[in-house]
């Protein structure tokens, strides 16, 4: 099947169109608002499923692409003193490959389930769903944008809705959580903007000739920038006239940019010790919002590291391989130890996210096909599992008014469906074979063993600790004597059971048939691995 219509733009902008339609509806029509919002998330879900079926992973160069000239700013040649014409150009450029496709599907699935689960929201439904749809538009744009300016706009587009979703619909300390989210992510965005500006004015440089006149271009094109960075000699020849491209990228500048990008996206991932803001968001934001934050927004950090870090700076990644592995190991162990100490389920899951993102870093640090496939698989798997767990915590909190482990004993007697789903989610989180969590951890650690056996051996301890704190939290919540406050509570309603069943189905699918994701991923790293073999020597 060949798709010759702008499906990528439809995926990105259909939630935004849904938000515009919600603006036209009266706020008193709560039921219509909810159904309209849910439908607006189902459209990109259906389109992403069409792409997943149609995409041929063996031909990554034929990925879907949309490119339109967007912004062209002529530059005064007198300002540079060189003959010819000068221009700054940014395109509306979207593209899909095997790396972004699983994350796009993860986003659309999680967003739809979060919209269905948002029936627990009791105030200002219209504004809530509008911000939720704008957030989905931004997340999808991040995974599809191939121009640095467009990527930055979509990245920032996710911040504003999150601030309002946390600050208005969160718990008691919601303003503090929203403020810390803004401060930390604002810092990360500032670092990313600095790196992008330097990249555009150095590696975005190209020369064309038309009618005997040289045309000097500074572009935000991701392909142009990566191509220039991948061949330093050709780029040096292109930039030989230092007066034309005075910001020629030296080795020191390449290293500095790589570190800046690691910090920018490390805040979003997050990486220890830049994780504290995430704890407030997980604890204070409403459950459907945390489903998107933990399930998708954290993955944007890892995606940025891969797309703009490893793909653009493979040699620097090789030099910082041990640093990535150490920070991944610290995040894994620290998150697991602190999760074991906590008795608040939201914080247990928050530190669990930090620990699992450590596994992602370990997989990326392997710089080989198995480990990097494991890292991306872990992103998708953890996105589904964390969305499931926070969905269930939201259901529990709505009934019991608490998510403290000490106050939730015996939940299985009162709500067997919720308890069974919580147990399955916990087993997936600790990496039980047959569930998605096992595959990601196995591939990441196998890849790491091939490159750094010492760190990989220590990382196994983190996997063991994960099993301990997950079983402790889940078993103490579901089994034992029934707490008095849980007597008579209802089990899951249909609007809660449906997204729970869908997320569990994907967790089981990826555990039983991991090729559903790995087949899409594996060819995406061929270019990077070939470059490492030829340019880095191994």
């Amino acid at each position: 099947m060949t798709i010759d219509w702008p499906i990528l733009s439809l995926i990105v902008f259909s939630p935004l169109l849904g938000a515009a339609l919600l603006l036209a509806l009266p706020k008193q029509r709560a039921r219509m608002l909810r159904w309209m919002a849910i439908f607006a998330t189902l459209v990109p879900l259906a389109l992403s499923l069409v792409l997943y079926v149609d995409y041929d992973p063996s031909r990554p160069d034929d990925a879907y692409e949309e490119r339109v000239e967007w912004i062209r700013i002529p530059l005064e040649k007198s300002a540079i003193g060189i003959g010819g014409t000068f221009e700054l150009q940014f395109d509306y450029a979207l593209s899909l490959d095997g790396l972004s496709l699983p994350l796009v599907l993860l986003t659309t699935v999680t967003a739809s389930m979060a919209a269905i689960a948002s029936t627990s929201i009791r105030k200002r439904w219209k504004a809530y769903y509008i911000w939720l749809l704008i957030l989905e538009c931004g997340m999808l744009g991040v995974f599809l944008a191939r121009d640095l300016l467009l990527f930055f706009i979509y990245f920032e587009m996710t911040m504003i809705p999150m601030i309002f979703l946390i600050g208005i619909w969160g718990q008691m300390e919601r303003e503090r959580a929203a403020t810390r989210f803004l401060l930390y992510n604002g810092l990360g965005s500032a670092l990313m903007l600095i790196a992008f500006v330097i990249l555009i004015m150095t590696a975005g440089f190209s020369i064309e000739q038309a009618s005997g006149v040289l045309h000097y271009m500074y572009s935000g094109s991701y392909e142009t920038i990566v191509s220039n960075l991948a061949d330093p000699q050709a780029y040096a020849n292109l930039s030989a006239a230092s007066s034309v491209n005075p910001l020629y990228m030296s080795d020191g500048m390449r290293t500095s940019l790589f570190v800046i990008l690691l910090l920018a996206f490390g805040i979003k991932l997050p990486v220890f010790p830049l994780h504290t803001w995430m704890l407030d968001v997980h604890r204070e934001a409403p459950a459907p919002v945390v489903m998107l934050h933990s399930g998708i927004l954290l993955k944007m950090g890892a995606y940025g590291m891969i797309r703009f870090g490893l793909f653009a700076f493979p040699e620097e990644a090789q030099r910082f391989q041990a640093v990535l592995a150490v920070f991944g190991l610290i995040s894994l162990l620290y998150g697991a130890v602190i999760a074991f100490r906590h008795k608040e389920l939201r914080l247990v899951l928050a530190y669990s996210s930090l620990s699992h993102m450590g596994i992602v870093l370990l997989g990326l640090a392997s710089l080989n096909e198995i480990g990097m496939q494991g890292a991306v698989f872990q992103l998708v798997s953890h996105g589904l599992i964390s969305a499931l767990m926070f969905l269930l915590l939201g259901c529990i909190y709505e009934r019991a008014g608490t998510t403290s482990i000490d106050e939730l004993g015996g939940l299985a007697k009162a709500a067997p469906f919720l308890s069974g789903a919580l147990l399955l989610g916990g087993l997936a989180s600790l990496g039980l074979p047959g569930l998605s969590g096992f595959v990601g951890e196995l591939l990441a650690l196998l890849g790491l063993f091939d490159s750094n056996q010492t760190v990989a051996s220590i990382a196994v301890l983190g996997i063991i600790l994960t099993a301990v704190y997950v079983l402790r939290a889940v078993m103490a919540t579901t089994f034992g004597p029934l707490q008095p406050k849980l007597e008579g509570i209802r089990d899951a309603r249909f609007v809660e059971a449906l997204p729970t069943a869908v997320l569990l189905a994907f967790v089981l699918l990826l555990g039983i048939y991991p090729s559903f994701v790995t087949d899409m991923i594996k060819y995406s790293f061929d270019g990077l691995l070939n470059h490492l073999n030829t340019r880095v020597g191994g």
Side-chain angles (χ1 to χ4, degrees):
M1 179 173 63
T2 301
I3 300 175
D4 55 3
W5 35 288
I7 187 170
L8 300 184
S9 294
L10 289 174
I11 288 176
V12 173
F13 289 110
S14 51
L16 206 58
L17 177 60
L21 294 175
L22 289 182
L23 282 172
L25 293 177
K27 61 182 180 180
Q28 295 81 9
R29 304 290 297 273
R31 181 180 294 272
M32 183 177 293
L33 286 170
R34 295 184 192 279
W35 281 109
M36 178 66 74
I38 292 171
F39 178 77
T41 64
L42 293 176
V43 172
L45 172 58
L47 294 175
S48 62
L49 287 171
V50 170
L51 280 180
Y52 218 94
V53 172
D54 185 66
Y55 184 75
D56 184 357
S58 66
R59 297 165 57 194
D61 292 333
D62 293 341
Y64 301 96
E65 183 176 11
E66 299 172 18
R67 184 176 296 272
V68 178
E69 289 187 3
W70 180 29
I71 300 175
R72 300 178 73 93
I73 305 175
L75 303 176
E76 291 291 337
K77 61 181 180 181
S78 60
I80 305 177
I82 301 295
T85 59
F86 296 81
E87 191 172 47
L88 181 64
Q89 176 178 326
F90 301 103
D91 292 339
Y92 170 79
L94 302 179
S95 184
L96 186 80
D97 58 15
L99 172 61
S100 55
L101 180 54
L103 295 172
V104 167
L105 182 59
L106 171 67
T107 301
T108 56
V109 169
T110 307
S112 295
M113 299 307 104
I116 296 173
S118 294
T119 53
S120 59
I121 300 299
R122 302 299 184 212
K123 65 178 182 179
R124 301 176 65 177
W125 307 286
K126 181 175 179 177
Y128 172 85
Y129 282 113
I130 288 173
W131 286 123
L132 199 72
L133 292 173
I134 295 174
L135 177 62
E136 182 182 9
C137 175
M139 294 186 299
L140 290 169
V142 164
F143 295 129
L144 294 175
R146 292 299 183 273
D147 183 276
L148 268 62
L149 178 61
L150 189 64
F151 178 91
F152 183 78
I153 290 174
Y154 280 127
F155 202 91
E156 295 304 288
M157 191 176 176
T158 64
M159 282 184 57
I160 299 174
M162 277 298 297
I163 293 170
F164 284 102
L165 289 169
I166 298 169
I168 297 176
W169 291 275
Q171 305 298 325
M172 295 296 295
E173 298 292 330
R174 55 184 179 271
E175 291 88 356
R176 179 177 181 271
T179 301
R180 298 198 70 194
F181 173 85
L182 174 61
L183 291 176
Y184 275 84
N185 286 267
L187 174 61
S189 296
L191 292 172
M192 181 172 60
L193 180 60
I194 293 171
F196 279 7
V197 170
I198 296 175
L199 282 171
I200 291 169
M201 299 308 294
T202 54
F205 178 69
S206 61
I207 302 176
E208 300 175 357
Q209 185 170 1
S211 302
V213 178
L214 291 177
H215 182 68
Y216 302 96
M217 178 78 71
Y218 293 92
S219 169
S221 169
Y222 174 79
E223 290 78 11
T224 299
I225 291 172
V226 172
S227 177
N228 283 335
L229 291 173
D231 194 346
Q233 185 57 50
Y235 177 60
N237 295 335
L238 180 67
S239 304
S242 59
S243 56
V244 174
N245 191 26
L247 296 177
Y248 168 67
M249 188 175 294
S250 64
D251 290 340
M253 184 178 290
R254 291 172 66 101
T255 301
S256 298
L257 284 176
F258 180 73
V259 173
I260 291 173
L261 288 170
L262 283 187
L263 287 173
F265 293 115
I267 291 174
K268 195 72 174 181
L269 187 57
V271 177
F272 176 90
L274 306 173
H275 67 284
T276 55
W277 64 272
M278 179 197 69
L279 307 177
D280 291 332
V281 174
H282 279 55
R283 181 175 54 209
E284 302 298 333
V289 175
V290 185
M291 289 173 63
L292 293 175
H293 181 262
S294 182
I296 309 299
L297 288 170
L298 302 187
K299 281 58 186 177
M300 288 164 42
Y303 175 80
M305 281 188 180
I306 299 170
R307 182 72 70 186
F308 296 98
L310 303 188
F311 283 7
F313 299 96
E315 297 176 8
E316 285 68 28
Q318 179 88 9
R319 291 203 296 269
F320 281 82
Q321 187 176 14
V323 176
L324 289 173
V326 169
F327 274 97
L329 182 63
I330 293 173
S331 296
L332 170 62
L333 296 178
Y334 177 82
V337 170
I338 303 301
F340 177 77
R341 293 180 60 250
H342 269 287
K343 293 189 176 182
E344 167 57 52
L345 280 175
R346 281 178 175 257
L347 289 177
V348 171
L349 294 183
Y351 282 105
S352 175
S353 293
L354 174 65
S355 184
H356 282 88
M357 292 306 97
I359 296 175
V360 172
L361 271 183
L362 292 175
L364 296 180
S366 70
L367 290 182
N368 56 46
E369 184 175 7
I370 296 178
M372 297 180 74
Q373 282 191 38
V376 179
F377 194 100
Q378 178 73 358
L379 289 177
V380 178
S381 171
H382 179 263
L384 295 168
I385 295 171
S386 63
L388 170 66
M389 297 298 279
F390 277 103
L391 167 64
L392 296 171
L393 283 194
C395 297
I396 294 171
Y397 182 80
E398 184 181 2
R399 289 157 172 79
T402 182
T403 52
S404 172
I405 295 176
D406 292 337
E407 300 179 39
L408 293 175
L411 185 64
K413 297 182 178 66
F417 179 86
L418 290 176
S419 299
L422 186 67
L423 179 59
L424 279 175
L427 293 175
S429 181
L430 63 84
L432 183 73
L435 300 174
S436 63
F438 171 75
V439 180
E441 293 177 0
L442 176 64
L443 293 178
L445 291 180
L446 283 177
L448 188 62
F449 265 110
D450 190 49
S451 61
N452 194 325
Q453 294 184 3
T454 301
V455 174
S457 300
I458 300 174
V460 173
L461 176 61
I463 305 300
I464 297 173
L465 289 174
T466 300
V468 173
Y469 74 73
V470 168
L471 287 176
R472 165 186 168 272
V474 172
M475 300 297 284
T477 300
T478 55
F479 295 100
L482 179 64
Q483 296 292 327
K485 66 164 54 181
L486 299 181
E487 293 182 0
I489 67 170
R490 294 185 302 170
D491 208 345
R493 305 187 302 271
F494 176 77
V495 292
E496 298 166 332
L498 176 61
T500 299
V502 171
L503 292 172
L504 276 175
F506 274 99
V507 169
L508 288 169
L509 172 64
L510 267 60
I512 297 172
Y513 185 62
S515 294
F516 183 77
V517 171
T518 56
D519 282 351
M520 296 293 170
I521 300 171
K522 60 182 179 181
Y523 295 107
S524 299
F525 295 108
D526 285 352
L528 170 64
L529 296 173
N530 290 336
H531 182 88
L532 287 174
N533 289 332
T534 57
R535 299 293 303 178
V536 184

